[in-house]
Amino acid sequence: MRFALPLIALASLSACGGGGDAGGNGSAAAPVANVAAPAGQKWTDMVAVTPEGGYRIGNPDAAVKLVEFGSRTCPTCGAFGREGNEPLINNYVSTGKVSFEFRDFAIHGAPDLAAAVLGRCNGTATFFPLLEAMYQDQAATLDRMQAIPQAEQARLQSIPPLQAVSTWADAAGYVDFVKQRGVPEAKARQCLADQNLLQQVVKITEEGGAVVTGTPTFLINGEKAENALSWPQVEAALKAAGA
C-alpha cells in the first residue's frame, strides 16, 4: 500500500478555509418539489457508502446533491458542521430534495486519517453522529494536539504513517472519544490498523485534489460551489440550485 499524504505538524491550520473561490454558480434553478420517503421510512435514516468512498445521507435520487470534502481537524469545517448540520438535515435532507455526502479529506495527514478511520469504524449506523460529535468536541481535540511538544510532533513525522496514525489517535484523545460513543477500544484499534480503511481515505484525498484547494470544499450536482465556506453561503447555493 502507498501512503502519499504528508504528516503535517499542527503549528498552523492555514490550509483550512480555502475551499471557496470568487465567482458564482450561474442563474438560479427552478424550485424542486419535496419527495416522499418510502412507506415507513425517513430520508434522514438512509445512509450509504458511495462509489467514491464518501458517506451519503438522504434520498439517493435527490434533485440536489451536496458533497463536502471536509477535514475533521479543520476549524472552518468544524464551524460549518456545528452551524449547518442541523438545518441541512432537518430542512433539506429530510424533504428528499437534497442528499448530503461527506468525503473525508485528510488535509492534515495522519491526524485526519486517525479521525476519519475511527469515524468509519462502525459503518453507516454511526458515521454522521460521530462526525457531528467530533466537530462539537473539535476545540478540545485541537487543544490536545497543539499541546504535543514540537519534538514529539517531529518524531511522529519520522515514523511510518500507519504507526503515526495510531499514535495521533491516542494523542488527540480520539480512541477514548469513540469508546464513549459506541466503538469499543479493541474495535477502534483494529480499525486504526486496517490498511483498507486507511487507503479509502487516502484515495478520496488523492482524487479530491483535482478540485479541493482547501477545506471545506462543496460540490452541488457535481459543480464546485464557489465562495461557499459557511452554512449561510452553502444554504444560498442550495436554494439557487432549487432546494
Side-chain angles (χ1 to χ4, degrees):
M1 173 168 46
R2 179 171 61 93
F3 284 91
L5 302 178
L7 303 180
I8 302 173
L10 294 179
S12 170
L13 297 178
S14 59
C16 296
D21 298 327
N25 283 345
S27 58
V32 298
N34 290 4
V35 180
Q41 300 183 62
K42 296 187 295 184
W43 291 125
T44 53
D45 292 333
M46 297 184 185
V47 180
V49 181
T50 68
E52 294 78 13
Y55 280 66
R56 181 193 62 232
I57 183 171
N59 177 6
D61 299 316
V64 181
K65 296 176 172 59
L66 175 66
V67 175
E68 176 187 356
F69 287 92
S71 154
R72 298 179 193 234
T73 64
C74 168
T76 310
C77 301
F80 174 83
R82 290 187 296 274
E83 183 180 5
N85 179 75
E86 185 174 344
L88 171 61
I89 300 302
N90 292 343
N91 300 338
Y92 293 92
V93 173
S94 66
T95 68
K97 295 188 293 185
V98 176
S99 65
F100 173 53
E101 178 184 347
F102 185 87
R103 299 180 190 174
D104 279 287
F105 192 88
I107 201 166
H108 295 129
D112 274 332
L113 285 172
V117 166
L118 290 175
R120 292 165 172 258
C121 200
N122 267 353
T124 57
T126 59
F127 181 88
F128 283 100
L130 274 177
L131 177 65
E132 181 178 6
M134 285 183 176
Y135 280 148
Q136 292 293 338
D137 194 62
Q138 188 188 68
T141 300
L142 293 180
D143 284 345
R144 287 189 292 270
M145 289 195 286
Q146 295 283 11
I148 299 171
Q150 290 296 315
E152 176 65 5
Q153 290 193 33
R155 185 187 74 82
L156 290 176
Q157 294 182 74
S158 70
I159 62 179
L162 185 59
Q163 184 179 345
V165 167
S166 297
T167 304
W168 273 110
D170 285 318
Y174 279 130
V175 173
D176 286 338
F177 184 84
V178 298
K179 184 169 64 175
Q180 296 168 16
R181 291 162 177 82
V183 183
E185 181 173 351
K187 185 174 183 180
R189 298 199 180 280
Q190 183 180 23
C191 288
L192 289 168
D194 188 331
Q195 295 188 355
N196 288 329
L197 278 177
L198 285 163
Q199 186 58 37
Q200 288 172 16
V201 182
V202 171
K203 182 179 179 183
I204 292 172
T205 305
E206 290 179 338
E207 293 181 348
V211 294
V212 176
T213 54
T215 53
T217 288
F218 296 95
L219 307 180
I220 296 180
N221 291 342
E223 297 293 327
K224 189 173 181 179
E226 309 291 5
N227 215 24
L229 295 172
S230 67
W231 166 242
Q233 292 167 333
V234 172
E235 184 175 33
L238 290 173
K239 289 180 177 179

